[in-house]
Amino acid sequence: MGIIETKIDTQSDEYKKNYEAMTAIVDDLKSEMKIARDKRSEKAKGRLAAQNKLSVRKRIELLLDKNTPFLEIAPLAAKGMYDSKVHGAGNVVGIGMVCGREVMIHANDPTIKGGTVYPMGVKKSLRCQAIAMENRLPIIYLIDSGGAFLPLQSEVFPDIDDGGRIFYNQALISKMGIPQITAVMGLCTAGGAYIPAMSDEVVHVKKTGAIFLGGPPLVKAATGEVVSADELGGADLHCRESGVSDYYAEDDPHAIEIVRDIVRNLPVNEKSQLSLKKPDAPLYDPKEIYGIVSRELKIPYDTREVIARIVDGSEFLEFKELFGSTLVCGWSHIHGYPVGILGNNGILFSDSALKATQFIQICDKRKIPLVFLQNINGYIIGKAYESRGITKDGHKMVNAVATATVPKFTVMAGASFGAGNYGMCGRAYSPRFLWNWPNSEIGVMGGEQAADVLCTVKNEQLAREGKPNMTDEEIGMIKVPVMEAARKEGNAYYSTANLWDDGIIDPADTRDVLGLSISAALNAPIRDDVAGFGIFRM
Ligand code: COA
């Protein structure tokens, strides 16, 4: 296989300026991650210690096999929402290795408002379950939650994708034969009681863990009965009398030990087999991506230079190199796994869309996972291109992306605008995982373009009414808020806060994150869908 020869001059001014800019962006990301992980009130930390509970991070650390990675999902979910205090949307979710088995972990953080469930917390829990279902990963729930965050109950309770969906999904996951194990390490109140109830096996911690449909305050209000949480739903009651729980744990570490034993006891899951190669590091330092990616989205960069720093040995067999040059397609390996990569090198034209369609078909037939590196401003527009049928050619690519049955993985590596987001496997196209770089931007179109469109529409409306065009001041009144909104809502942090992605990653970690994602995906059969595509409009 050919090797990508880099053309990057690491001594050039441009490289150095880009490198410096990306370093600052990644430093910001690291400090945001630290805040989300560690910033908790002294009061909440004190409550945890007083109850002899471990922190959510310590629980996960004990659960995972030593020195194995934790692929965390959406650590910055809900950033900037709810007074900026509900870090990670109130729970920690991720994929890790327990007794040699990849599992999905879902853990409430009791130091954030008693582990209560906020609207974005529900969204994150549903994403966690979707990942587990698609990739057939056993789920371990570490529950410690006061249930619905009551002031926002209308946003967490009634709708199709609200709290009830979590328990509905548990029933489906159970039907699919995917193991679900719950450790009750705090309260499981009201709806929350259904998480252990709908799991295969329940470990219950003495004194601190309790399961009940109505907590002591509600019981007192409803019936006048005065009862403690432990009497109402503690480990002794549920392990000895009701049979709701299956294993009695003395404390948090003991509960984690039992969960590990349960996982060890699961039948072996045969992972999907691909034609693996011995993994090799890329020839070039992945950190050089910092200097390659332009500090301004408008300035293009060669996606091959990024590919060279992600794939094994920087080896890449480029497909149709001389045709449809604004989309780079080709085969490589990442950590030994075969992949078909599609990376943007400009706007999508008819030829690049057709090339993508053919390439995706080949990968799908050969069961080769697809990796999309998005840096896309959209499909080409204009009369000449419409007359050549860009819409029907773009549609073929979108159709192929949507219906390909191999696992797909998307990295937002710059711009993600318009239908380009769809063709390059945006969130709506169900990539198994979608990772974001901190410099990326997303939107129907750029803010300036959107503002111009609205001004044109308004001026045409005025012309129809026989009125003069807008003044500069009126134009400003339309443009400024649209551009402001695009700046705020188009950036990576807004995206990740809203769970439009699975997390923002350091671009230098892209190779490792993709490797872990592919490995997780192989827990499911590589093609468990109806194979084949829809109708391609010719
Ligand atoms: N909705 C909104 N806020 C809640 C809440 C809920 N369901 N449950 C707890 N909180 C808040 C508390 O008001 C407190 O806020 P503050 O830090 O601003 O004062 C914070 O979460 C921590 O609660 P606290 O009781 O001080 O901590 P704790 O560790 O002693 O107990 C719980 C935590 C969850 C066990 C306890 O608060 C509780 O029993 N909550 C009610 C549970 C319930 O009945 N839920 C029904 C909802 S379906």
Short mmCIF file of all heavy atoms in Angstrom, two decimals, residues 79-108:
data_model
loop_
_atom_site.label_atom_id
_atom_site.label_comp_id
_atom_site.label_asym_id
_atom_site.label_seq_id
_atom_site.Cartn_x
_atom_site.Cartn_y
_atom_site.Cartn_z
N LYS A 79 -23.15 21.75 29.13
CA LYS A 79 -22.25 22.86 29.46
C LYS A 79 -22.97 24.20 29.19
O LYS A 79 -23.54 24.41 28.14
CB LYS A 79 -20.98 22.76 28.61
CG LYS A 79 -20.00 23.88 28.88
CD LYS A 79 -18.74 23.68 28.07
CE LYS A 79 -18.03 24.98 27.71
NZ LYS A 79 -18.09 26.03 28.69
N GLY A 80 -22.90 25.08 30.19
CA GLY A 80 -23.52 26.39 30.02
C GLY A 80 -25.02 26.40 30.30
O GLY A 80 -25.65 27.45 30.31
N MET A 81 -25.62 25.24 30.55
CA MET A 81 -27.05 25.20 30.86
C MET A 81 -27.23 25.11 32.38
O MET A 81 -26.30 24.78 33.10
CB MET A 81 -27.70 23.97 30.22
CG MET A 81 -27.55 23.91 28.72
SD MET A 81 -28.28 22.38 28.09
CE MET A 81 -27.79 22.48 26.38
N TYR A 82 -28.45 25.34 32.86
CA TYR A 82 -28.80 25.18 34.28
C TYR A 82 -27.76 25.87 35.19
O TYR A 82 -27.15 25.23 36.05
CB TYR A 82 -28.90 23.70 34.67
CG TYR A 82 -29.52 22.79 33.63
CD1 TYR A 82 -28.82 21.71 33.10
CD2 TYR A 82 -30.82 23.02 33.17
CE1 TYR A 82 -29.39 20.87 32.14
CE2 TYR A 82 -31.39 22.18 32.20
CZ TYR A 82 -30.67 21.12 31.70
OH TYR A 82 -31.22 20.29 30.75
N ASP A 83 -27.51 27.15 34.96
CA ASP A 83 -26.54 27.93 35.74
C ASP A 83 -25.13 27.36 35.67
O ASP A 83 -24.31 27.57 36.57
CB ASP A 83 -26.94 28.01 37.24
CG ASP A 83 -28.22 28.79 37.44
OD1 ASP A 83 -28.52 29.64 36.57
OD2 ASP A 83 -28.93 28.52 38.42
N SER A 84 -24.84 26.62 34.64
CA SER A 84 -23.50 26.04 34.42
C SER A 84 -23.05 25.15 35.58
O SER A 84 -21.85 25.03 35.85
CB SER A 84 -22.46 27.15 34.21
OG SER A 84 -22.75 27.83 33.03
N LYS A 85 -24.02 24.53 36.27
CA LYS A 85 -23.61 23.72 37.44
C LYS A 85 -23.84 22.23 37.24
O LYS A 85 -23.43 21.42 38.06
CB LYS A 85 -24.39 24.18 38.67
CG LYS A 85 -23.86 25.50 39.21
CD LYS A 85 -24.55 25.87 40.49
CE LYS A 85 -24.00 27.19 41.01
NZ LYS A 85 -24.99 27.89 41.81
N VAL A 86 -24.52 21.86 36.15
CA VAL A 86 -24.86 20.44 36.00
C VAL A 86 -23.86 19.81 35.01
O VAL A 86 -24.16 19.51 33.86
CB VAL A 86 -26.32 20.28 35.55
CG1 VAL A 86 -26.72 18.82 35.48
CG2 VAL A 86 -27.22 21.00 36.55
N HIS A 87 -22.64 19.65 35.50
CA HIS A 87 -21.54 19.18 34.66
C HIS A 87 -21.83 17.80 34.09
O HIS A 87 -22.27 16.90 34.81
CB HIS A 87 -20.24 19.15 35.48
CG HIS A 87 -19.95 20.46 36.13
ND1 HIS A 87 -19.59 21.58 35.41
CD2 HIS A 87 -20.01 20.86 37.43
CE1 HIS A 87 -19.42 22.60 36.24
NE2 HIS A 87 -19.68 22.18 37.47
N GLY A 88 -21.55 17.67 32.80
CA GLY A 88 -21.77 16.38 32.13
C GLY A 88 -23.23 15.95 32.16
O GLY A 88 -23.53 14.77 32.03
N ALA A 89 -24.13 16.91 32.38
CA ALA A 89 -25.58 16.65 32.48
C ALA A 89 -25.91 15.81 33.72
O ALA A 89 -26.98 15.23 33.81
CB ALA A 89 -26.15 16.00 31.21
N GLY A 90 -24.95 15.74 34.67
CA GLY A 90 -25.24 15.09 35.96
C GLY A 90 -24.90 13.61 36.00
O GLY A 90 -25.16 12.94 37.01
N ASN A 91 -24.36 13.07 34.92
CA ASN A 91 -23.95 11.67 34.98
C ASN A 91 -22.69 11.44 34.15
O ASN A 91 -22.32 12.28 33.34
CB ASN A 91 -25.09 10.72 34.56
CG ASN A 91 -25.66 11.05 33.21
OD1 ASN A 91 -24.91 11.31 32.26
ND2 ASN A 91 -26.97 11.07 33.08
N VAL A 92 -22.04 10.32 34.41
CA VAL A 92 -20.83 9.96 33.67
C VAL A 92 -21.15 8.70 32.87
O VAL A 92 -21.65 7.72 33.42
CB VAL A 92 -19.63 9.70 34.60
CG1 VAL A 92 -18.38 9.37 33.79
CG2 VAL A 92 -19.37 10.91 35.49
N VAL A 93 -20.87 8.77 31.57
CA VAL A 93 -21.19 7.66 30.67
C VAL A 93 -19.95 7.35 29.84
O VAL A 93 -19.23 8.27 29.44
CB VAL A 93 -22.37 8.07 29.73
CG1 VAL A 93 -22.48 7.14 28.54
CG2 VAL A 93 -23.69 8.10 30.50
N GLY A 94 -19.69 6.09 29.61
CA GLY A 94 -18.55 5.78 28.74
C GLY A 94 -18.36 4.28 28.59
O GLY A 94 -19.04 3.48 29.24
N ILE A 95 -17.45 3.95 27.68
CA ILE A 95 -17.16 2.54 27.40
C ILE A 95 -15.80 2.19 28.00
O ILE A 95 -14.83 2.93 27.80
CB ILE A 95 -17.17 2.30 25.88
CG1 ILE A 95 -18.56 2.60 25.31
CG2 ILE A 95 -16.76 0.85 25.55
CD1 ILE A 95 -18.59 2.71 23.81
N GLY A 96 -15.78 1.10 28.74
CA GLY A 96 -14.52 0.69 29.34
C GLY A 96 -14.43 -0.82 29.39
O GLY A 96 -15.37 -1.53 29.03
N MET A 97 -13.30 -1.28 29.88
CA MET A 97 -13.02 -2.71 29.92
C MET A 97 -13.22 -3.23 31.35
O MET A 97 -12.57 -2.73 32.27
CB MET A 97 -11.56 -2.89 29.48
CG MET A 97 -11.19 -4.28 29.12
SD MET A 97 -11.90 -4.75 27.55
CE MET A 97 -10.62 -4.25 26.43
N VAL A 98 -14.10 -4.20 31.52
CA VAL A 98 -14.32 -4.81 32.84
C VAL A 98 -14.09 -6.31 32.67
O VAL A 98 -14.78 -6.97 31.88
CB VAL A 98 -15.74 -4.54 33.36
CG1 VAL A 98 -15.99 -5.29 34.66
CG2 VAL A 98 -15.96 -3.04 33.57
N CYS A 99 -13.10 -6.84 33.39
CA CYS A 99 -12.73 -8.26 33.29
C CYS A 99 -12.56 -8.66 31.82
O CYS A 99 -13.08 -9.70 31.37
CB CYS A 99 -13.78 -9.14 33.97
SG CYS A 99 -13.96 -8.76 35.70
N GLY A 100 -11.88 -7.81 31.08
CA GLY A 100 -11.56 -8.12 29.68
C GLY A 100 -12.72 -7.93 28.71
O GLY A 100 -12.59 -8.23 27.53
N ARG A 101 -13.86 -7.43 29.19
CA ARG A 101 -15.04 -7.30 28.34
C ARG A 101 -15.39 -5.82 28.19
O ARG A 101 -15.43 -5.09 29.18
CB ARG A 101 -16.19 -8.05 29.04
CG ARG A 101 -17.54 -7.95 28.41
CD ARG A 101 -17.65 -8.97 27.31
NE ARG A 101 -18.99 -8.99 26.76
CZ ARG A 101 -19.88 -9.95 27.00
NH1 ARG A 101 -19.57 -10.97 27.79
NH2 ARG A 101 -21.07 -9.91 26.43
N GLU A 102 -15.64 -5.36 26.94
CA GLU A 102 -16.05 -3.96 26.75
C GLU A 102 -17.49 -3.81 27.23
O GLU A 102 -18.37 -4.57 26.81
CB GLU A 102 -15.96 -3.57 25.27
CG GLU A 102 -14.55 -3.27 24.85
CD GLU A 102 -14.36 -3.42 23.34
OE1 GLU A 102 -14.77 -4.46 22.78
OE2 GLU A 102 -13.79 -2.50 22.74
N VAL A 103 -17.71 -2.82 28.09
CA VAL A 103 -19.06 -2.58 28.61
C VAL A 103 -19.36 -1.09 28.55
O VAL A 103 -18.46 -0.25 28.51
CB VAL A 103 -19.22 -3.06 30.08
CG1 VAL A 103 -18.98 -4.55 30.22
CG2 VAL A 103 -18.31 -2.26 31.01
N MET A 104 -20.65 -0.78 28.56
CA MET A 104 -21.08 0.61 28.67
C MET A 104 -21.37 0.89 30.14
O MET A 104 -22.04 0.08 30.80
CB MET A 104 -22.34 0.78 27.81
CG MET A 104 -23.02 2.11 27.94
SD MET A 104 -21.92 3.47 27.55
CE MET A 104 -22.20 3.65 25.81
N ILE A 105 -20.85 2.00 30.63
CA ILE A 105 -21.08 2.34 32.04
C ILE A 105 -21.94 3.62 32.11
O ILE A 105 -21.70 4.57 31.36
CB ILE A 105 -19.74 2.58 32.77
CG1 ILE A 105 -18.92 1.28 32.77
CG2 ILE A 105 -19.97 3.08 34.20
CD1 ILE A 105 -17.49 1.45 33.18
N HIS A 106 -22.93 3.58 32.98
CA HIS A 106 -23.76 4.77 33.20
C HIS A 106 -23.80 5.01 34.70
O HIS A 106 -24.29 4.17 35.46
CB HIS A 106 -25.18 4.51 32.68
CG HIS A 106 -26.09 5.68 32.88
ND1 HIS A 106 -26.51 6.11 34.10
CD2 HIS A 106 -26.65 6.53 31.98
CE1 HIS A 106 -27.28 7.17 33.97
NE2 HIS A 106 -27.39 7.45 32.68
N ALA A 107 -23.25 6.15 35.14
CA ALA A 107 -23.14 6.39 36.58
C ALA A 107 -23.65 7.79 36.93
O ALA A 107 -23.20 8.77 36.35
CB ALA A 107 -21.68 6.24 37.02
N ASN A 108 -24.59 7.87 37.88
CA ASN A 108 -25.05 9.19 38.35
C ASN A 108 -23.95 9.84 39.18
O ASN A 108 -23.20 9.16 39.86
CB ASN A 108 -26.28 9.05 39.26
CG ASN A 108 -27.42 8.33 38.58
OD1 ASN A 108 -27.77 7.23 38.96
ND2 ASN A 108 -27.99 8.95 37.57
#
